[in-house]
Amino acid sequence: GLVNQVVSQLIQAIRSQEGSFGSIERLGAGSYYEHVKISEPNEFDIMLVMPVSRLQLDECDDTGAYYYLTFKRNPKEKHLFKFLDEDGKLSAFKMLQALRNIIKREVKNIKNAEVTVKRRKAGSPAITLQIKNPPAEISVDIILALEVQQSWPPSTQDGLKIEQWLGRKVRGEFRNKSLHLVAKQNKKEKVLRGNTWRLSFSHIEKAMMNNHGSSKTCCESDGPKCCRKGCLKLLKYLLEQLKMKYTKQLEKFCSYHIKTAFFHSCVMWPNDTDWHLGDLDHCFQKYLGYFLDCLQKSELPHFFIPRYNLLSLEDKASSDFLSRQINYQLNNRFPIFQE
């Protein structure tokens, strides 16, 4: 409730600024909104989505995930021209900076809560708010996304292999949804100019999470229940606990790795009968086995962009480290779950 109040007030202020962000809409993303949050609801991701008519997308590396954006001829969005860099590319950095400034001004006007804006982390797509909520703090990541009504780029062509799991029709519906791009710095760039954008599929991920059965009634109020989300929560919790213990060694890993492996597992075991509620233990071991396999090979393809490997070979040492920690837990009946 507190988060909603604060965010609503911010969005109102952002929209009322001259022109630039007037059309922004809110989209709840991340684990809280997918109902797979595992600990206290003290972290929220809020996407602010801004519709843009048409953009020229140019890949800026070989992952197929990062793009330079330029406007096509005579765009409607003249008000965004001030965010172009000297090459005419839409600068994620400039847009985030402008948004951050509005938010910094507005938090001073929030009466019913103590809200501060955290310092900018280099290359992070988020503007992070800290909301004092005694005895704890709530952190809210505000992420700027552009919503473009055009077809998905070629790099996504062979991704989203859900035909056997959710059906060909659903895949078609998903691929007809608009394209989202978040203001995310591509670390591979030699000179970090802050003008790269990364494809984002959190709107599709949320839809898959919330309708995850091959039968249409899986986990609905009167439908049969499965253990898919239970497995995901367990592995997320395992990683979270290990990251708390070995922060430095595991800094490369995040819950997105777990979620990607989860989607691949849903494709490998597409039927609801593969995920019987009573088989949680067995299903978790299968899913964990797949994830360990990915770590061993240093290979976890992005679910929507298959040629984008989320576990690069240069991070082999941390993959091996995580693999050893998980195997230790597995062979000793997960002491970390008892702690």
Side-chain angles (χ1 to χ4, degrees):
L2 184 59
V3 170
N4 281 334
Q5 275 180 354
V6 169
V7 172
S8 298
Q9 183 170 339
L10 289 177
I11 289 179
Q12 241 174 335
I14 292 166
R15 282 196 191 135
S16 67
Q17 298 293 314
E18 287 311 295
S20 303
F21 298 105
S23 57
I24 225 153
E25 291 289 337
R26 165 186 179 165
L27 172 82
S31 58
Y32 180 77
Y33 298 95
E34 293 166 348
H35 310 293
V36 289
K37 190 86 187 102
I38 44 179
S39 29
E40 292 300 305
N42 58 356
E43 288 181 357
F44 294 84
D45 294 327
I46 308 278
M47 266 186 150
L48 296 186
V49 180
M50 188 171 174
V52 180
S53 46
R54 282 187 71 72
L55 289 168
Q56 165 80 32
L57 272 63
D58 293 300
E59 290 192 17
C60 67
D61 65 5
D62 52 5
T63 62
Y66 289 91
Y67 291 84
Y68 297 123
L69 304 183
T70 42
F71 284 108
K72 302 216 165 171
R73 275 209 317 259
N74 304 330
K76 293 205 260 307
E77 289 78 16
K78 301 266 193 287
H79 57 276
L80 297 180
F81 282 10
K82 59 174 174 289
F83 301 126
L84 299 178
D85 65 11
E86 58 281 4
D87 304 330
K89 296 190 180 84
L90 187 58
S91 164
F93 176 75
K94 283 185 179 178
M95 282 188 80
L96 271 183
Q97 199 62 14
L99 190 59
R100 171 183 274 277
N101 291 339
I102 299 172
I103 290 174
K104 271 175 121 162
R105 278 202 303 275
E106 186 58 28
V107 293
K108 299 190 176 85
N109 303 328
I110 293 176
K111 297 284 178 277
N112 51 357
E114 196 181 320
V115 185
T116 50
V117 179
K118 281 182 72 170
R119 283 194 50 191
R120 199 173 80 82
K121 280 216 290 279
S124 162
I127 298 165
T128 306
L129 308 176
Q130 292 289 129
I131 304 176
K132 277 227 166 42
N133 183 30
E137 283 203 338
I138 299 174
S139 119
V140 181
D141 276 352
I142 294 182
I143 294 151
L144 174 66
L146 304 178
E147 177 175 24
V148 198
Q149 298 295 339
Q150 66 194 51
S151 52
W152 294 11
S155 64
T156 64
Q157 195 57 53
D158 300 325
L160 191 60
K161 281 268 169 268
I162 56 171
E163 291 88 344
Q164 302 299 308
W165 167 35
L166 298 175
R168 178 168 298 159
K169 192 165 153 245
V170 174
R171 182 178 191 264
E173 284 164 11
F174 283 160
R175 285 189 58 90
N176 279 329
K177 288 195 188 303
S178 51
L179 192 60
H180 283 186
L181 293 135
V182 291
K184 176 77 175 123
Q185 187 60 63
N186 179 5
K187 296 195 178 69
K188 283 197 181 140
E189 278 200 304
K190 299 286 176 282
V191 186
L192 296 183
R193 290 206 205 87
N195 60 0
T196 57
W197 297 77
R198 191 188 65 202
L199 295 179
S200 161
F201 300 93
S202 48
H203 53 316
I204 312 288
E205 289 162 9
K206 184 172 160 185
M208 291 195 297
M209 283 289 183
N210 293 336
N211 293 297
H212 53 251
S214 53
S215 76
K216 294 299 166 233
T217 53
C218 187
C219 289
E220 282 180 10
S221 50
D222 46 1
K225 303 281 181 276
C226 77
C227 66
R228 285 180 182 91
K229 281 189 176 181
C231 290
L232 174 65
K233 286 179 175 181
L234 277 174
L235 191 45
K236 275 183 70 163
Y237 183 70
L238 178 59
L239 179 67
E240 214 169 85
Q241 296 302 306
L242 288 171
K243 271 178 75 87
M244 276 157 73
K245 240 179 164 158
Y246 307 106
T247 313
K248 195 83 195 95
Q249 295 93 323
L250 297 178
E251 65 183 357
K252 290 276 195 295
F253 289 96
C254 62
S255 61
Y256 197 71
H257 290 103
I258 303 297
K259 189 164 142 182
T260 300
F262 171 72
F263 288 138
H264 285 302
S265 298
C266 289
V267 166
M268 277 190 290
W269 298 290
N271 303 315
D272 297 343
T273 48
D274 298 323
W275 301 89
H276 269 308
L277 193 56
D279 294 340
L280 176 71
D281 182 33
H282 169 67
C283 295
F284 177 62
Q285 301 246 6
K286 272 197 313 194
Y287 163 41
L288 187 61
Y290 168 70
F291 184 59
L292 282 167
D293 204 37
C294 294
L295 290 173
Q296 194 199 333
K297 295 183 191 145
S298 274
E299 206 173 295
L300 175 60
H302 191 288
F303 192 66
F304 297 83
I305 310 168
R307 68 167 134 122
Y308 180 22
N309 181 12
L310 298 179
L311 296 176
S312 62
L313 273 170
E314 60 242 37
D315 301 330
K316 184 85 178 99
S318 38
S319 294
D320 290 344
F321 183 87
L322 179 55
S323 185
R324 283 197 301 278
Q325 295 307 323
I326 292 177
N327 273 309
Y328 173 80
Q329 293 295 325
L330 187 60
N331 299 331
N332 293 283
R333 294 188 169 175
F334 298 101
I336 209 156
F337 286 163
Q338 271 85 56
E339 277 168 22

